[in-house]
Amino acid sequence: MALKRMDNIGIVVEDLAEAVDFFRELGLEFEGRATIEGEWAGRVTGLGDQQVEIAMMRTPDGHSRLELSRFVKPEVVADHRNAPVNALGYLRAMFTVDDIDETLERLRPRGAELVGEVVRYKDAYLLCYIRGPEGLLIGLAQELS
């Protein structure tokens, strides 16, 4: 059996509305919001009795999704949002944009901060990392060809 696709990446946040606004400004499309709870959900995650508010975001091409989650219960147990780029585990999501400078200007009022600097990789990309809402690490890439 072959892998069909990657369905989504999940990010746990404290402020769901702020995260939705940030990723909308980046260019993702809001698909909807729901509360996930009940015995079936706890069996999937192994967390037992849980209540999670989620918002689904979709890339403009329709191929990728980002699931933003805010746990009501149980409370979150770890915080790795400010981990450096060489930390083990999930690190960042990378998005390709039309214009990296324009994207940075749009995101700065929403709290985005450049981690290092915008760099050129050969004649292929401009690349940078930013910290978004709640310190989330986001990669931006602009194709040069």
Side-chain angles (χ1 to χ4, degrees):
M1 168 120 354
L3 178 73
K4 292 175 124 181
R5 70 178 179 270
M6 183 182 79
D7 193 57
N8 68 62
I9 291 177
I11 299 176
V12 177
V13 298
E14 288 179 311
D15 188 330
L16 194 57
E18 179 184 36
V20 166
D21 289 345
F22 178 86
F23 285 106
R24 268 188 174 151
E25 188 66 40
L26 179 58
L28 276 75
E29 299 167 4
F30 178 71
E31 283 193 327
R33 194 169 170 161
T35 299
I36 307 298
E37 59 188 333
E39 184 263 338
W40 71 270
R43 287 194 353 251
V44 172
T45 62
L47 294 176
D49 186 25
Q50 70 177 36
Q51 182 180 14
V52 184
E53 295 175 346
I54 67 163
M56 292 301 291
M57 310 292 294
R58 179 182 61 242
T59 57
D61 65 4
H63 294 295
S64 302
R65 287 179 173 72
L66 182 65
E67 179 181 307
L68 301 169
S69 303
R70 185 183 81 79
F71 276 81
V72 176
K73 69 177 181 181
E75 293 183 16
V76 295
V77 296
D79 189 343
H80 57 271
R81 291 174 290 190
N82 293 309
V85 295
N86 62 342
L88 296 173
Y90 166 79
L91 181 59
R92 57 127 177 98
M94 174 74 75
F95 297 95
T96 300
V97 297
D98 289 330
D99 183 325
I100 209 164
D101 292 325
E102 185 270 334
T103 302
L104 289 170
E105 287 305 310
R106 283 190 299 107
L107 294 178
R108 280 190 179 108
R110 298 212 178 267
E113 296 178 9
L114 198 56
V115 171
E117 57 187 84
V118 177
V119 298
R120 183 183 192 101
Y121 174 70
K122 299 185 180 181
D123 288 327
Y125 293 98
L126 291 177
L127 300 165
C128 72
Y129 286 157
I130 61 172
R131 291 279 178 188
E134 301 182 29
L136 297 173
L137 189 61
I138 308 294
L140 300 176
Q142 176 184 330
E143 297 171 318
L144 295 176
S145 53

